[in-house]
Amino acid sequence: MDKLLELQNLSVNIEKKQVLNGINLSVGAGETHVLMGPNGAGKSTLGYTLMGNPRYTVSDGKIFFDGEDITSLAADKRAAKGLFLSFQQPLEVPGISLESFIRNALQQTTGERVKLFQFQKQLKAMMQFLNMDDSYAGRDLNVGFSGGERKKSEILQLLMLNPKLAILDETDSGLDVDAVRTVSKGIEEYQKRMNGALIIITHSTKILESLKVDHTHVLVKGRIVKSGDGSLVEEINEKGFEQFLTQEREFLEIP
């Protein structure tokens, strides 16, 4: 399968502190990769780095997307090329409605004028699919939204923007069972209908139950210490992360 995303020996600093060390990862078109690990492992850092957050400095290595070196590319340019990041804690954006935000994002990423009637028809259909009240389209982005509605808003953006690769950072965090089920349905729709590639960053595995997982990676202290297929998720459910913490300590002790 063609490589959509390739990380070569990627190391990342926040200010002068190294938080990722020598990450190598390849994601093919349409593949779903799960990134797991204990708190503070660097999972969210990887997501922000891939999206081009200027707070995170690449100290070594390269990021290739769709065959192009995007290591130094700004976040908006990466979005235009088909990268998408769903935030763990979506921010409120007063003064711009959810509908306007998505419409503007579509125009920025595609470079084409969005036809209003067709856009609104599609937006309404997607909102109904996610069990979102139509009134949220006219409300300021995430302002006064519950945690569940904010996460649905992120998945709505995913389905409307249809990126080549979506990075979902703890999308199931803080959600009740019904909300997790709805969000999972949206991710499954993106995965199946749009053949989009996914990097799912998560502590939990509830959101993975209805998804086909191709590869699982365990991140500990800024390093990928183990990779496997979907069965690795079950191993983590049964045994936790302690075995991988031990592996990392042994790795660091090697002269």
Side-chain angles (χ1 to χ4, degrees):
M1 183 173 291
D2 293 339
K3 293 178 182 178
L4 178 63
L5 175 74
E6 185 175 9
L7 309 183
Q8 295 180 353
N9 197 39
L10 185 69
S11 295
V12 175
N13 292 350
I14 299 179
E15 296 178 349
K16 294 183 179 181
K17 181 182 179 182
Q18 187 176 59
V19 285
L20 294 178
N21 190 347
I23 301 292
N24 291 289
L25 179 67
S26 293
V27 178
E31 288 184 345
T32 295
H33 289 242
V34 173
L35 188 63
M36 303 186 75
N39 288 329
K43 302 184 299 297
S44 294
T45 293
L46 181 57
Y48 286 125
T49 301
L50 293 179
M51 203 63 228
N53 187 317
R55 185 181 174 217
Y56 302 85
T57 303
V58 174
S59 58
D60 193 18
K62 296 287 185 181
I63 303 171
F64 291 92
F65 185 69
D66 226 1
E68 179 182 350
D69 183 353
I70 64 166
T71 311
S72 301
L73 212 59
D76 61 331
K77 302 298 183 185
R78 299 187 193 201
K81 291 185 179 298
L83 271 166
F84 174 92
L85 173 64
S86 172
F87 295 98
Q88 183 175 347
Q89 297 179 330
L91 298 175
E92 294 185 358
V93 184
I96 182 169
S97 69
L98 173 60
E99 177 180 336
S100 295
F101 179 83
I102 296 175
R103 187 181 175 202
N104 288 338
L106 264 174
Q107 290 181 160
Q108 290 294 323
T109 55
T110 63
E112 300 175 359
R113 183 175 175 272
V114 175
K115 296 179 180 179
L116 183 59
F117 177 76
Q118 184 177 354
F119 168 77
Q120 289 180 330
K121 182 179 179 181
Q122 184 183 7
L123 182 67
K124 184 175 182 179
M126 287 294 119
M127 292 184 76
Q128 290 176 347
F129 178 77
L130 294 172
N131 298 322
M132 291 186 71
D133 191 301
D134 290 352
S135 66
Y136 279 87
R139 292 175 57 176
D140 286 0
L141 180 62
N142 294 328
V143 176
F145 287 25
S146 68
E149 295 299 339
R150 290 188 184 207
K151 296 301 178 73
K152 288 181 184 179
S153 167
E154 295 277 290
I155 300 304
L156 177 64
Q157 294 168 45
L158 169 67
L159 293 175
M160 292 295 294
L161 295 174
N162 189 23
K164 294 178 181 178
L165 170 64
I167 306 155
L168 308 183
D169 187 8
E170 302 284 358
T171 301
D172 53 349
S173 175
L175 299 184
D176 61 28
V177 174
D178 290 335
V180 168
R181 188 176 295 115
T182 299
V183 166
S184 296
K185 183 174 72 170
I187 298 171
E188 186 178 14
E189 178 75 2
Y190 166 76
Q191 187 183 48
K192 288 182 177 179
R193 182 166 64 86
M194 302 174 184
N195 194 36
L198 285 162
I199 296 177
I200 301 176
I201 300 169
T202 185
H203 282 98
S204 169
T205 57
K206 291 185 294 182
I207 201 168
L208 306 176
E209 291 176 358
S210 61
L211 301 177
K212 177 183 178 294
V213 175
D214 297 296
H215 302 278
T216 305
H217 312 279
V218 180
L219 194 68
V220 177
K221 294 182 180 179
R223 301 175 184 270
I224 293 179
V225 297
K226 185 168 183 178
S227 295
D229 57 19
S231 65
L232 183 54
V233 173
E234 297 304 318
E235 182 181 339
I236 293 169
N237 275 340
E238 294 177 8
K239 301 179 181 179
F241 293 115
E242 180 59 34
Q243 58 179 315
F244 306 115
L245 295 174
T246 301
Q247 289 175 13
E248 173 64 9
R249 286 194 292 268
E250 290 174 350
F251 177 83
L252 292 174
E253 290 171 0
I254 296 174

